[in-house]
Amino acid sequence: MDTCRACGAKDPYLFLSYGEHSPGQMLIRPEDMDKAQPAFPLNAHACLECGLIAVADQIPDGFFSHYLYVPSGAATMHSHFDSFADVIAERADGGLVVDIGSNDGLLLAACNARGCKTLGFDPAENIAEIAAERGVETHIAYFHPQSATEVRDARGKAKVITTTNTFNHIGDLDNFMEAVCILLEDDGTFIIEVPWAKEMLEKAEFDNMYHEHVSEFSVLSMVKLAEKFDLEVSDVTYLDGIHGGSFRTFMTRKSAGFPIGPNVAAMLADEKAVGMLDQATYDRRTQQFDEIGRELREMIDALKAEGKTIAGYGASARGSTTITYYGIGADDLAFLADKNPLKHGLYSPNTRIPIKPVEAIEEEKPDVLFMLAWNFFDEIYAQQEAFRERGGQFIVPYPKPRLVS
């Protein structure tokens, strides 16, 4: 990786090499279990000029034309998007709302309930069909200048453009931002929600790096990216409990004259305080990440020595990074439980662990659940009352491995 994809600075610092990984959402069909799976280098770089943490290597074009992640599987995302829809409706003020990476339509359905005019943008036809059942219209395409021009000419400009946990999937940010500028009203707002790189770095939560997530953003990286397109970050909001700690960025045109909210300076100061532009910070956190792996390995081995059966909870891409990098496989985890029916009957990439419905927890009765979806642990803990009542325990890997009863 020669330059930072956000600010353009040269020679980002390679601080963590994970090895060869198959993409985290490239789940394996039963009939393909004996076939070799494509794998790509997974390398994490840090820009010491803006604090962007990025994966250099890109997966093939077209990967997201059939996708398996949906946000509606987590109750947390329902409530989060419901409150977010209030913010969007106020900003839109009757204008068009376009959501990039609209997925199963959960956010836009909430906007529709508030009387908004909406359009989704997503390349995955299978997911767009689910959105249609919610009454959400989807333009099935990748978002780039040509498709943005087509929508602008057909529907007019958007007063609000949103993208939630999608901006971090974009390899060519300049191309994406050019498309935003084509579609956005002069007084419109581009609202981005992504995990906050500062939180990930501070807690060594490097499981959130995988081929589909090519960037983890700092507020400073957003500020510098916006400046390249005559936009500015006019406000930011910290989102506790969303994907391990996220933030919401409001980008507006400089010419529109939006006031700059005080949170921008405050969060930039927070990033500076944790050393996001210091190489030594990344070296220390990488050591911490590796120590987490050693502790998890010891914990799993001790539980197996006691005769306990362990299953994973969450067939997520970030979970795939964890178990692949730490060498936790099918000999350690009997199966992975997941709410998403699109994943049932498939196998995890790299490790080839069977994925089953959540009901398998009560049918097969493992003693311990390894929380691969640890970012939704509170929700899952509350749901698994029967598991807890029979003495079940949870391994929570981050920010420090612990066994929870």
Side-chain angles (χ1 to χ4, degrees):
M1 192 170 186
D2 299 320
T3 59
C4 171
R5 62 170 60 97
C7 75
K10 294 187 180 300
D11 299 324
Y13 175 53
L14 172 59
F15 68 93
L16 180 56
S17 294
Y18 296 83
E20 299 273 324
H21 285 228
S22 296
Q25 293 288 354
M26 190 175 280
L27 306 183
I28 305 171
R29 297 181 177 89
E31 61 270 24
D32 295 331
M33 280 287 284
D34 294 332
K35 297 179 182 177
Q37 202 179 17
F40 309 91
L42 186 62
N43 295 311
H45 295 72
C47 176
L48 302 181
E49 297 293 327
C50 76
L52 183 82
I53 301 175
V55 170
D57 305 284
Q58 300 286 287
I59 57 175
D61 291 339
F63 179 77
F64 297 107
S65 62
H66 186 87
Y67 202 50
L68 297 177
Y69 170 77
V70 292
S72 56
T76 301
M77 298 311 296
H78 285 258
S79 58
H80 172 65
F81 282 163
D82 192 58
S83 62
F84 186 22
D86 289 332
V87 175
I88 294 168
E90 182 178 355
R91 286 264 178 165
D93 193 27
L96 177 64
V97 176
V98 175
D99 186 32
I100 312 302
S102 49
N103 203 279
D104 63 358
L106 187 62
L107 175 59
L108 288 186
C111 292
N112 287 343
R114 288 154 175 80
C116 296
K117 295 185 295 185
T118 68
L119 178 68
F121 233 107
D122 203 290
E125 293 186 25
N126 64 316
I127 300 296
E129 291 173 3
I130 301 173
E133 295 172 2
R134 283 196 165 97
V136 172
E137 179 186 357
T138 304
H139 184 76
I140 301 174
Y142 284 93
F143 186 66
H144 47 65
Q146 181 180 345
S147 58
T149 300
E150 291 170 359
V151 168
R152 182 200 63 191
D153 293 346
R155 299 289 294 269
K157 290 188 174 183
K159 190 65 176 289
V160 174
I161 299 175
T162 60
T163 183
T164 62
N165 207 36
T166 298
F167 204 52
N168 40 359
H169 291 223
I170 307 303
D172 189 343
L173 291 174
D174 286 0
N175 184 266
F176 191 99
M177 292 299 296
E178 182 183 342
V180 168
C181 291
I182 289 169
L183 188 56
L184 188 67
E185 289 271 17
D186 290 346
D187 62 345
T189 306
F190 177 35
I191 309 176
I192 307 161
E193 285 191 357
V194 283
W196 191 11
K198 176 255 181 186
E199 293 286 276
M200 185 178 75
L201 176 62
E202 191 171 22
K203 300 171 184 175
E205 295 168 355
F206 296 140
D207 63 315
N208 207 28
M209 302 302 295
Y210 43 92
H211 290 108
E212 294 94 316
H213 271 194
V214 295
S215 299
E216 299 295 338
F217 290 89
S218 63
V219 176
L220 182 58
S221 66
M222 290 287 193
V223 169
K224 292 195 173 189
L225 177 64
E227 288 174 348
K228 292 161 64 175
F229 294 89
D230 291 323
L231 303 173
E232 59 189 356
V233 174
S234 51
D235 206 358
V236 287
T237 304
Y238 176 63
L239 305 171
D240 190 16
I242 302 298
H243 298 298
S246 299
F247 70 109
R248 180 183 295 160
T249 301
F250 297 80
M251 285 189 189
T252 50
R253 298 186 191 273
K254 290 181 179 179
S255 59
F258 280 82
I260 307 299
N263 282 351
V264 178
M267 291 178 71
L268 287 171
D270 287 344
E271 292 179 352
K272 185 176 181 179
V274 301
M276 289 205 71
L277 305 183
D278 299 331
Q279 178 176 317
T281 305
Y282 294 88
D283 294 338
R284 288 195 301 271
R285 297 309 184 203
T286 300
Q287 292 173 6
Q288 182 180 343
F289 184 60
D290 288 341
E291 179 59 30
I292 289 170
R294 287 189 287 271
E295 291 181 24
L296 285 172
R297 182 75 267 170
E298 291 173 2
M299 187 179 291
I300 289 170
D301 289 345
L303 290 166
K304 289 169 60 180
E306 294 173 12
K308 293 188 175 181
T309 303
I310 308 170
Y313 194 111
S316 63
R318 70 188 305 158
S320 179
T321 297
T322 291
I323 57 180
T324 303
Y325 182 65
Y326 291 150
I328 299 168
D331 292 338
D332 304 303
L333 305 180
F335 62 90
L336 304 180
D338 200 285
K339 278 191 169 184
N340 186 348
L342 298 176
K343 299 182 179 182
H344 298 163
L346 303 178
Y347 292 79
S348 62
N350 306 297
T351 52
R352 287 172 160 73
I353 303 170
I355 303 169
K356 300 183 179 184
V358 171
E359 289 74 18
I361 295 170
E362 285 310 300
E363 293 167 1
E364 302 196 20
K365 292 185 168 46
D367 302 294
V368 180
L369 291 177
F370 186 107
M371 292 304 306
L372 297 175
W374 62 269
N375 46 319
F376 294 111
F377 175 59
D378 290 344
E379 175 184 327
I380 295 165
Y381 183 86
Q383 292 170 352
Q384 288 299 317
E385 184 177 1
F387 173 74
R388 289 186 283 114
E389 285 181 349
R390 62 179 174 82
Q393 295 176 296
F394 303 85
I395 298 174
V396 184
Y398 305 103
K400 184 174 176 59
R402 63 192 191 278
L403 197 60
V404 180
S405 299

